[in-house]
Amino acid sequence: DIQMTQSPSSLSASVGDKVTITCRAGQSVSTYLNWYQQKPGKAPNLLIYTASNLESGVPSRFSGSGYGEGFTLTISSLQPEDFATYYCQQSYTSPWTFGQGTKVEIK
Amino acid sequence: VQLVASGGVVVQPGGSLRLSCAASGFSFEDYTMHWVRQRPGKGLEWVSLISWSGDYTNYADSVRGRFTFSRDNSKSSLYLQMNSLKTEDTALYYCAKEQNDAFDIWGQGTMVTVSS
């Protein structure tokens, strides 16, 4: 199985801050890397697919980059509704695996 | 576009359960579908997938041989038959649609509790 490791596991930030979350794969996953946002009590919501493609309806302050083993999710200007847990996930090979999550909290 | 999961209950270890997921608002028969679970307070774990035709399925090692994923395209429905349940199967189970190699639509989840 491909292990996905996110850093940090949690962070505190203020509204307006630029936030970067990193995801590292245990082996190359090419660009088969997706990012999700999950709020308490809700299902995850797809933000970015295949490393850098913004899902329809997702605000443009979210962006993704990377290839191979290293990826980043960037929120250019954190908004109050962005406080949530973020997960990366590889779809390069079965079993599809997720990172452990990064909780973004209010500073 | 909607997925509605149901069937989650409290069941004893060793018991069986069938989850369902009803799809609407898209051409269900065209898409690969998945189950993903989340243990209480924990992260996300992929469980299983089924091809658009139902001819191909794949499972996480943790459930292989105990869970069976099926679909009925005439009813736009998915089914997850769960046998020999273990306490570690306790989780919120989400059905999800695959598009562009990602889970683009998720159901609301149905809770399975395995406890004596």
Side-chain angles (χ1 to χ4, degrees), chain B residues 31-61:
Chain B
Y31 292 95
T32 294
M33 302 295 293
H34 298 253
W35 289 96
V36 176
R37 70 183 180 185
Q38 188 167 34
R39 295 185 175 100
K42 301 299 183 182
L44 300 165
E45 179 188 13
W46 174 80
V47 173
S48 183
L49 73 82
I50 190 166
S51 63
W52 63 271
S53 65
D55 289 346
Y56 175 75
T57 54
N58 198 3
Y59 300 91
D61 286 346

PDB file of all heavy atoms in Angstrom, chain B residues 31-61:
ATOM      1  N   TYR B  31     -20.733   5.175 -14.173  1.00  0.00           N
ATOM      2  CA  TYR B  31     -19.659   5.502 -13.237  1.00  0.00           C
ATOM      3  C   TYR B  31     -19.245   4.360 -12.319  1.00  0.00           C
ATOM      4  O   TYR B  31     -20.088   3.606 -11.813  1.00  0.00           O
ATOM      5  CB  TYR B  31     -20.072   6.697 -12.372  1.00  0.00           C
ATOM      6  CG  TYR B  31     -20.177   7.968 -13.163  1.00  0.00           C
ATOM      7  CD1 TYR B  31     -21.402   8.384 -13.673  1.00  0.00           C
ATOM      8  CD2 TYR B  31     -19.045   8.740 -13.431  1.00  0.00           C
ATOM      9  CE1 TYR B  31     -21.502   9.543 -14.427  1.00  0.00           C
ATOM     10  CE2 TYR B  31     -19.149   9.898 -14.182  1.00  0.00           C
ATOM     11  CZ  TYR B  31     -20.379  10.282 -14.677  1.00  0.00           C
ATOM     12  OH  TYR B  31     -20.472  11.438 -15.419  1.00  0.00           O
ATOM     13  N   THR B  32     -17.930   4.292 -12.067  1.00  0.00           N
ATOM     14  CA  THR B  32     -17.401   3.472 -10.996  1.00  0.00           C
ATOM     15  C   THR B  32     -17.794   4.101  -9.662  1.00  0.00           C
ATOM     16  O   THR B  32     -17.768   5.331  -9.520  1.00  0.00           O
ATOM     17  CB  THR B  32     -15.868   3.374 -11.114  1.00  0.00           C
ATOM     18  OG1 THR B  32     -15.533   2.669 -12.308  1.00  0.00           O
ATOM     19  CG2 THR B  32     -15.266   2.649  -9.919  1.00  0.00           C
ATOM     20  N   MET B  33     -18.142   3.263  -8.708  1.00  0.00           N
ATOM     21  CA  MET B  33     -18.596   3.744  -7.406  1.00  0.00           C
ATOM     22  C   MET B  33     -17.773   3.095  -6.307  1.00  0.00           C
ATOM     23  O   MET B  33     -17.194   2.016  -6.485  1.00  0.00           O
ATOM     24  CB  MET B  33     -20.079   3.429  -7.206  1.00  0.00           C
ATOM     25  CG  MET B  33     -21.001   4.021  -8.255  1.00  0.00           C
ATOM     26  SD  MET B  33     -21.047   5.831  -8.257  1.00  0.00           S
ATOM     27  CE  MET B  33     -21.835   6.137  -6.676  1.00  0.00           C
ATOM     28  N   HIS B  34     -17.740   3.758  -5.145  1.00  0.00           N
ATOM     29  CA  HIS B  34     -16.886   3.316  -4.037  1.00  0.00           C
ATOM     30  C   HIS B  34     -17.625   3.397  -2.707  1.00  0.00           C
ATOM     31  O   HIS B  34     -18.615   4.131  -2.570  1.00  0.00           O
ATOM     32  CB  HIS B  34     -15.655   4.232  -3.924  1.00  0.00           C
ATOM     33  CG  HIS B  34     -14.757   4.237  -5.113  1.00  0.00           C
ATOM     34  ND1 HIS B  34     -13.517   3.622  -5.114  1.00  0.00           N
ATOM     35  CD2 HIS B  34     -14.906   4.788  -6.342  1.00  0.00           C
ATOM     36  CE1 HIS B  34     -12.937   3.806  -6.282  1.00  0.00           C
ATOM     37  NE2 HIS B  34     -13.751   4.510  -7.048  1.00  0.00           N
ATOM     38  N   TRP B  35     -17.081   2.668  -1.744  1.00  0.00           N
ATOM     39  CA  TRP B  35     -17.398   2.868  -0.326  1.00  0.00           C
ATOM     40  C   TRP B  35     -16.111   3.312   0.381  1.00  0.00           C
ATOM     41  O   TRP B  35     -15.037   2.732   0.155  1.00  0.00           O
ATOM     42  CB  TRP B  35     -17.918   1.599   0.337  1.00  0.00           C
ATOM     43  CG  TRP B  35     -19.295   1.201  -0.093  1.00  0.00           C
ATOM     44  CD1 TRP B  35     -19.630   0.296  -1.059  1.00  0.00           C
ATOM     45  CD2 TRP B  35     -20.539   1.695   0.436  1.00  0.00           C
ATOM     46  NE1 TRP B  35     -20.992   0.193  -1.171  1.00  0.00           N
ATOM     47  CE2 TRP B  35     -21.582   1.027  -0.261  1.00  0.00           C
ATOM     48  CE3 TRP B  35     -20.889   2.611   1.435  1.00  0.00           C
ATOM     49  CZ2 TRP B  35     -22.934   1.258   0.004  1.00  0.00           C
ATOM     50  CZ3 TRP B  35     -22.229   2.833   1.692  1.00  0.00           C
ATOM     51  CH2 TRP B  35     -23.238   2.169   0.984  1.00  0.00           C
ATOM     52  N   VAL B  36     -16.260   4.316   1.224  1.00  0.00           N
ATOM     53  CA  VAL B  36     -15.169   4.830   2.055  1.00  0.00           C
ATOM     54  C   VAL B  36     -15.704   4.891   3.479  1.00  0.00           C
ATOM     55  O   VAL B  36     -16.860   5.284   3.688  1.00  0.00           O
ATOM     56  CB  VAL B  36     -14.723   6.231   1.587  1.00  0.00           C
ATOM     57  CG1 VAL B  36     -13.654   6.804   2.508  1.00  0.00           C
ATOM     58  CG2 VAL B  36     -14.220   6.182   0.144  1.00  0.00           C
ATOM     59  N   ARG B  37     -14.902   4.540   4.455  1.00  0.00           N
ATOM     60  CA  ARG B  37     -15.383   4.576   5.836  1.00  0.00           C
ATOM     61  C   ARG B  37     -14.506   5.463   6.703  1.00  0.00           C
ATOM     62  O   ARG B  37     -13.347   5.748   6.367  1.00  0.00           O
ATOM     63  CB  ARG B  37     -15.488   3.175   6.421  1.00  0.00           C
ATOM     64  CG  ARG B  37     -14.176   2.469   6.684  1.00  0.00           C
ATOM     65  CD  ARG B  37     -14.436   1.042   7.194  1.00  0.00           C
ATOM     66  NE  ARG B  37     -13.207   0.308   7.469  1.00  0.00           N
ATOM     67  CZ  ARG B  37     -13.170  -0.979   7.832  1.00  0.00           C
ATOM     68  NH1 ARG B  37     -14.306  -1.665   7.964  1.00  0.00           N
ATOM     69  NH2 ARG B  37     -12.013  -1.565   8.069  1.00  0.00           N
ATOM     70  N   GLN B  38     -15.087   5.868   7.819  1.00  0.00           N
ATOM     71  CA  GLN B  38     -14.381   6.730   8.775  1.00  0.00           C
ATOM     72  C   GLN B  38     -14.734   6.265  10.182  1.00  0.00           C
ATOM     73  O   GLN B  38     -15.894   6.415  10.618  1.00  0.00           O
ATOM     74  CB  GLN B  38     -14.775   8.194   8.565  1.00  0.00           C
ATOM     75  CG  GLN B  38     -13.974   9.175   9.366  1.00  0.00           C
ATOM     76  CD  GLN B  38     -14.192  10.605   8.889  1.00  0.00           C
ATOM     77  OE1 GLN B  38     -15.276  10.988   8.447  1.00  0.00           O
ATOM     78  NE2 GLN B  38     -13.143  11.427   8.972  1.00  0.00           N
ATOM     79  N   ARG B  39     -13.752   5.702  10.855  1.00  0.00           N
ATOM     80  CA  ARG B  39     -13.954   5.292  12.240  1.00  0.00           C
ATOM     81  C   ARG B  39     -14.135   6.533  13.090  1.00  0.00           C
ATOM     82  O   ARG B  39     -13.636   7.605  12.757  1.00  0.00           O
ATOM     83  CB  ARG B  39     -12.796   4.440  12.730  1.00  0.00           C
ATOM     84  CG  ARG B  39     -12.678   3.097  11.990  1.00  0.00           C
ATOM     85  CD  ARG B  39     -11.591   2.228  12.593  1.00  0.00           C
ATOM     86  NE  ARG B  39     -11.553   0.908  11.966  1.00  0.00           N
ATOM     87  CZ  ARG B  39     -10.671   0.571  11.027  1.00  0.00           C
ATOM     88  NH1 ARG B  39      -9.771   1.428  10.621  1.00  0.00           N
ATOM     89  NH2 ARG B  39     -10.697  -0.652  10.512  1.00  0.00           N
ATOM     90  N   PRO B  40     -14.830   6.423  14.217  1.00  0.00           N
ATOM     91  CA  PRO B  40     -15.110   7.597  15.053  1.00  0.00           C
ATOM     92  C   PRO B  40     -13.846   8.362  15.434  1.00  0.00           C
ATOM     93  O   PRO B  40     -12.897   7.783  15.986  1.00  0.00           O
ATOM     94  CB  PRO B  40     -15.786   6.995  16.281  1.00  0.00           C
ATOM     95  CG  PRO B  40     -16.449   5.757  15.768  1.00  0.00           C
ATOM     96  CD  PRO B  40     -15.512   5.216  14.724  1.00  0.00           C
ATOM     97  N   GLY B  41     -13.812   9.620  15.089  1.00  0.00           N
ATOM     98  CA  GLY B  41     -12.687  10.480  15.415  1.00  0.00           C
ATOM     99  C   GLY B  41     -11.428  10.234  14.614  1.00  0.00           C
ATOM    100  O   GLY B  41     -10.373  10.802  14.937  1.00  0.00           O
ATOM    101  N   LYS B  42     -11.520   9.414  13.582  1.00  0.00           N
ATOM    102  CA  LYS B  42     -10.333   9.039  12.807  1.00  0.00           C
ATOM    103  C   LYS B  42     -10.433   9.533  11.368  1.00  0.00           C
ATOM    104  O   LYS B  42     -11.360  10.237  10.989  1.00  0.00           O
ATOM    105  CB  LYS B  42     -10.183   7.514  12.819  1.00  0.00           C
ATOM    106  CG  LYS B  42     -10.057   6.915  14.217  1.00  0.00           C
ATOM    107  CD  LYS B  42      -8.833   7.443  14.953  1.00  0.00           C
ATOM    108  CE  LYS B  42      -8.683   6.771  16.311  1.00  0.00           C
ATOM    109  NZ  LYS B  42      -7.517   7.317  17.070  1.00  0.00           N
ATOM    110  N   GLY B  43      -9.444   9.137  10.568  1.00  0.00           N
ATOM    111  CA  GLY B  43      -9.376   9.557   9.182  1.00  0.00           C
ATOM    112  C   GLY B  43     -10.192   8.670   8.254  1.00  0.00           C
ATOM    113  O   GLY B  43     -10.978   7.823   8.680  1.00  0.00           O
ATOM    114  N   LEU B  44      -9.988   8.887   6.969  1.00  0.00           N
ATOM    115  CA  LEU B  44     -10.749   8.208   5.935  1.00  0.00           C
ATOM    116  C   LEU B  44     -10.032   6.953   5.454  1.00  0.00           C
ATOM    117  O   LEU B  44      -8.806   6.948   5.310  1.00  0.00           O
ATOM    118  CB  LEU B  44     -10.959   9.172   4.757  1.00  0.00           C
ATOM    119  CG  LEU B  44     -11.721  10.447   5.104  1.00  0.00           C
ATOM    120  CD1 LEU B  44     -11.553  11.488   4.010  1.00  0.00           C
ATOM    121  CD2 LEU B  44     -13.192  10.141   5.331  1.00  0.00           C
ATOM    122  N   GLU B  45     -10.801   5.919   5.182  1.00  0.00           N
ATOM    123  CA  GLU B  45     -10.252   4.640   4.719  1.00  0.00           C
ATOM    124  C   GLU B  45     -11.094   4.134   3.551  1.00  0.00           C
ATOM    125  O   GLU B  45     -12.293   3.919   3.690  1.00  0.00           O
ATOM    126  CB  GLU B  45     -10.257   3.603   5.845  1.00  0.00           C
ATOM    127  CG  GLU B  45      -9.725   2.237   5.415  1.00  0.00           C
ATOM    128  CD  GLU B  45      -9.922   1.160   6.474  1.00  0.00           C
ATOM    129  OE1 GLU B  45     -10.677   1.374   7.439  1.00  0.00           O
ATOM    130  OE2 GLU B  45      -9.323   0.075   6.335  1.00  0.00           O
ATOM    131  N   TRP B  46     -10.443   3.945   2.403  1.00  0.00           N
ATOM    132  CA  TRP B  46     -11.126   3.357   1.266  1.00  0.00           C
ATOM    133  C   TRP B  46     -11.463   1.897   1.567  1.00  0.00           C
ATOM    134  O   TRP B  46     -10.639   1.165   2.130  1.00  0.00           O
ATOM    135  CB  TRP B  46     -10.242   3.449   0.026  1.00  0.00           C
ATOM    136  CG  TRP B  46     -10.800   2.743  -1.162  1.00  0.00           C
ATOM    137  CD1 TRP B  46     -11.763   3.203  -2.018  1.00  0.00           C
ATOM    138  CD2 TRP B  46     -10.443   1.446  -1.632  1.00  0.00           C
ATOM    139  NE1 TRP B  46     -12.023   2.254  -2.988  1.00  0.00           N
ATOM    140  CE2 TRP B  46     -11.225   1.178  -2.768  1.00  0.00           C
ATOM    141  CE3 TRP B  46      -9.541   0.481  -1.189  1.00  0.00           C
ATOM    142  CZ2 TRP B  46     -11.128  -0.007  -3.482  1.00  0.00           C
ATOM    143  CZ3 TRP B  46      -9.433  -0.703  -1.895  1.00  0.00           C
ATOM    144  CH2 TRP B  46     -10.234  -0.948  -3.031  1.00  0.00           C
ATOM    145  N   VAL B  47     -12.684   1.477   1.187  1.00  0.00           N
ATOM    146  CA  VAL B  47     -13.154   0.129   1.493  1.00  0.00           C
ATOM    147  C   VAL B  47     -13.268  -0.735   0.238  1.00  0.00           C
ATOM    148  O   VAL B  47     -12.767  -1.869   0.212  1.00  0.00           O
ATOM    149  CB  VAL B  47     -14.524   0.192   2.197  1.00  0.00           C
ATOM    150  CG1 VAL B  47     -15.120  -1.210   2.370  1.00  0.00           C
ATOM    151  CG2 VAL B  47     -14.396   0.894   3.554  1.00  0.00           C
ATOM    152  N   SER B  48     -13.934  -0.203  -0.801  1.00  0.00           N
ATOM    153  CA  SER B  48     -14.214  -1.053  -1.955  1.00  0.00           C
ATOM    154  C   SER B  48     -14.629  -0.210  -3.146  1.00  0.00           C
ATOM    155  O   SER B  48     -15.066   0.930  -2.992  1.00  0.00           O
ATOM    156  CB  SER B  48     -15.346  -2.028  -1.610  1.00  0.00           C
ATOM    157  OG  SER B  48     -15.611  -2.915  -2.684  1.00  0.00           O
ATOM    158  N   LEU B  49     -14.477  -0.780  -4.337  1.00  0.00           N
ATOM    159  CA  LEU B  49     -14.982  -0.149  -5.551  1.00  0.00           C
ATOM    160  C   LEU B  49     -15.709  -1.172  -6.404  1.00  0.00           C
ATOM    161  O   LEU B  49     -15.476  -2.383  -6.303  1.00  0.00           O
ATOM    162  CB  LEU B  49     -13.862   0.512  -6.347  1.00  0.00           C
ATOM    163  CG  LEU B  49     -12.854  -0.361  -7.115  1.00  0.00           C
ATOM    164  CD1 LEU B  49     -13.381  -0.822  -8.478  1.00  0.00           C
ATOM    165  CD2 LEU B  49     -11.565   0.413  -7.343  1.00  0.00           C
ATOM    166  N   ILE B  50     -16.591  -0.660  -7.270  1.00  0.00           N
ATOM    167  CA  ILE B  50     -17.270  -1.502  -8.242  1.00  0.00           C
ATOM    168  C   ILE B  50     -17.301  -0.761  -9.571  1.00  0.00           C
ATOM    169  O   ILE B  50     -17.562   0.440  -9.619  1.00  0.00           O
ATOM    170  CB  ILE B  50     -18.684  -1.883  -7.767  1.00  0.00           C
ATOM    171  CG1 ILE B  50     -19.302  -2.955  -8.664  1.00  0.00           C
ATOM    172  CG2 ILE B  50     -19.600  -0.667  -7.682  1.00  0.00           C
ATOM    173  CD1 ILE B  50     -20.537  -3.619  -8.064  1.00  0.00           C
ATOM    174  N   SER B  51     -17.011  -1.467 -10.645  1.00  0.00           N
ATOM    175  CA  SER B  51     -17.009  -0.858 -11.964  1.00  0.00           C
ATOM    176  C   SER B  51     -18.424  -0.491 -12.397  1.00  0.00           C
ATOM    177  O   SER B  51     -19.410  -0.931 -11.798  1.00  0.00           O
ATOM    178  CB  SER B  51     -16.395  -1.817 -12.986  1.00  0.00           C
ATOM    179  OG  SER B  51     -17.201  -2.987 -13.084  1.00  0.00           O
ATOM    180  N   TRP B  52     -18.528   0.279 -13.469  1.00  0.00           N
ATOM    181  CA  TRP B  52     -19.837   0.745 -13.925  1.00  0.00           C
ATOM    182  C   TRP B  52     -20.784  -0.412 -14.224  1.00  0.00           C
ATOM    183  O   TRP B  52     -21.986  -0.344 -13.971  1.00  0.00           O
ATOM    184  CB  TRP B  52     -19.684   1.629 -15.167  1.00  0.00           C
ATOM    185  CG  TRP B  52     -19.097   0.901 -16.344  1.00  0.00           C
ATOM    186  CD1 TRP B  52     -17.783   0.769 -16.658  1.00  0.00           C
ATOM    187  CD2 TRP B  52     -19.811   0.185 -17.358  1.00  0.00           C
ATOM    188  NE1 TRP B  52     -17.628   0.013 -17.795  1.00  0.00           N
ATOM    189  CE2 TRP B  52     -18.858  -0.357 -18.252  1.00  0.00           C
ATOM    190  CE3 TRP B  52     -21.167  -0.050 -17.600  1.00  0.00           C
ATOM    191  CZ2 TRP B  52     -19.220  -1.112 -19.365  1.00  0.00           C
ATOM    192  CZ3 TRP B  52     -21.537  -0.801 -18.713  1.00  0.00           C
ATOM    193  CH2 TRP B  52     -20.564  -1.326 -19.576  1.00  0.00           C
ATOM    194  N   SER B  53     -20.218  -1.514 -14.749  1.00  0.00           N
ATOM    195  CA  SER B  53     -21.047  -2.657 -15.130  1.00  0.00           C
ATOM    196  C   SER B  53     -21.293  -3.617 -13.970  1.00  0.00           C
ATOM    197  O   SER B  53     -22.162  -4.492 -14.051  1.00  0.00           O
ATOM    198  CB  SER B  53     -20.378  -3.409 -16.266  1.00  0.00           C
ATOM    199  OG  SER B  53     -19.150  -3.964 -15.818  1.00  0.00           O
ATOM    200  N   GLY B  54     -20.488  -3.472 -12.930  1.00  0.00           N
ATOM    201  CA  GLY B  54     -20.576  -4.416 -11.824  1.00  0.00           C
ATOM    202  C   GLY B  54     -19.698  -5.637 -12.004  1.00  0.00           C
ATOM    203  O   GLY B  54     -19.638  -6.492 -11.118  1.00  0.00           O
ATOM    204  N   ASP B  55     -18.994  -5.713 -13.149  1.00  0.00           N
ATOM    205  CA  ASP B  55     -18.192  -6.900 -13.441  1.00  0.00           C
ATOM    206  C   ASP B  55     -16.882  -6.952 -12.653  1.00  0.00           C
ATOM    207  O   ASP B  55     -16.273  -8.018 -12.527  1.00  0.00           O
ATOM    208  CB  ASP B  55     -17.858  -6.952 -14.940  1.00  0.00           C
ATOM    209  CG  ASP B  55     -19.075  -7.279 -15.783  1.00  0.00           C
ATOM    210  OD1 ASP B  55     -20.093  -7.721 -15.209  1.00  0.00           O
ATOM    211  OD2 ASP B  55     -19.014  -7.079 -17.004  1.00  0.00           O
ATOM    212  N   TYR B  56     -16.439  -5.792 -12.198  1.00  0.00           N
ATOM    213  CA  TYR B  56     -15.158  -5.741 -11.471  1.00  0.00           C
ATOM    214  C   TYR B  56     -15.354  -5.104 -10.112  1.00  0.00           C
ATOM    215  O   TYR B  56     -15.983  -4.049  -9.977  1.00  0.00           O
ATOM    216  CB  TYR B  56     -14.128  -4.943 -12.268  1.00  0.00           C
ATOM    217  CG  TYR B  56     -12.822  -4.749 -11.524  1.00  0.00           C
ATOM    218  CD1 TYR B  56     -11.912  -5.790 -11.394  1.00  0.00           C
ATOM    219  CD2 TYR B  56     -12.510  -3.518 -10.940  1.00  0.00           C
ATOM    220  CE1 TYR B  56     -10.728  -5.618 -10.702  1.00  0.00           C
ATOM    221  CE2 TYR B  56     -11.326  -3.342 -10.247  1.00  0.00           C
ATOM    222  CZ  TYR B  56     -10.443  -4.389 -10.128  1.00  0.00           C
ATOM    223  OH  TYR B  56      -9.266  -4.228  -9.435  1.00  0.00           O
ATOM    224  N   THR B  57     -14.834  -5.765  -9.105  1.00  0.00           N
ATOM    225  CA  THR B  57     -14.827  -5.209  -7.752  1.00  0.00           C
ATOM    226  C   THR B  57     -13.430  -5.349  -7.162  1.00  0.00           C
ATOM    227  O   THR B  57     -12.636  -6.195  -7.584  1.00  0.00           O
ATOM    228  CB  THR B  57     -15.824  -5.932  -6.833  1.00  0.00           C
ATOM    229  OG1 THR B  57     -15.560  -7.341  -6.858  1.00  0.00           O
ATOM    230  CG2 THR B  57     -17.262  -5.673  -7.237  1.00  0.00           C
ATOM    231  N   ASN B  58     -13.138  -4.498  -6.206  1.00  0.00           N
ATOM    232  CA  ASN B  58     -11.872  -4.576  -5.489  1.00  0.00           C
ATOM    233  C   ASN B  58     -12.127  -4.162  -4.047  1.00  0.00           C
ATOM    234  O   ASN B  58     -13.062  -3.378  -3.771  1.00  0.00           O
ATOM    235  CB  ASN B  58     -10.826  -3.672  -6.143  1.00  0.00           C
ATOM    236  CG  ASN B  58      -9.402  -4.023  -5.727  1.00  0.00           C
ATOM    237  OD1 ASN B  58      -9.190  -4.982  -4.986  1.00  0.00           O
ATOM    238  ND2 ASN B  58      -8.441  -3.258  -6.200  1.00  0.00           N
ATOM    239  N   TYR B  59     -11.306  -4.691  -3.143  1.00  0.00           N
ATOM    240  CA  TYR B  59     -11.547  -4.486  -1.724  1.00  0.00           C
ATOM    241  C   TYR B  59     -10.258  -4.184  -0.987  1.00  0.00           C
ATOM    242  O   TYR B  59      -9.175  -4.655  -1.362  1.00  0.00           O
ATOM    243  CB  TYR B  59     -12.164  -5.750  -1.108  1.00  0.00           C
ATOM    244  CG  TYR B  59     -13.476  -6.152  -1.722  1.00  0.00           C
ATOM    245  CD1 TYR B  59     -13.522  -7.036  -2.796  1.00  0.00           C
ATOM    246  CD2 TYR B  59     -14.681  -5.631  -1.245  1.00  0.00           C
ATOM    247  CE1 TYR B  59     -14.727  -7.397  -3.382  1.00  0.00           C
ATOM    248  CE2 TYR B  59     -15.894  -5.995  -1.829  1.00  0.00           C
ATOM    249  CZ  TYR B  59     -15.906  -6.873  -2.898  1.00  0.00           C
ATOM    250  OH  TYR B  59     -17.098  -7.225  -3.477  1.00  0.00           O
ATOM    251  N   ALA B  60     -10.386  -3.431   0.094  1.00  0.00           N
ATOM    252  CA  ALA B  60      -9.276  -3.278   1.020  1.00  0.00           C
ATOM    253  C   ALA B  60      -8.999  -4.626   1.682  1.00  0.00           C
ATOM    254  O   ALA B  60      -9.919  -5.430   1.888  1.00  0.00           O
ATOM    255  CB  ALA B  60      -9.621  -2.234   2.079  1.00  0.00           C
ATOM    256  N   ASP B  61      -7.745  -4.872   2.009  1.00  0.00           N
ATOM    257  CA  ASP B  61      -7.383  -6.142   2.646  1.00  0.00           C
ATOM    258  C   ASP B  61      -8.183  -6.369   3.928  1.00  0.00           C
ATOM    259  O   ASP B  61      -8.495  -7.510   4.271  1.00  0.00           O
ATOM    260  CB  ASP B  61      -5.891  -6.169   2.960  1.00  0.00           C
ATOM    261  CG  ASP B  61      -5.032  -6.361   1.724  1.00  0.00           C
ATOM    262  OD1 ASP B  61      -5.575  -6.732   0.662  1.00  0.00           O
ATOM    263  OD2 ASP B  61      -3.813  -6.126   1.817  1.00  0.00           O
TER     264      ASP B  61
END
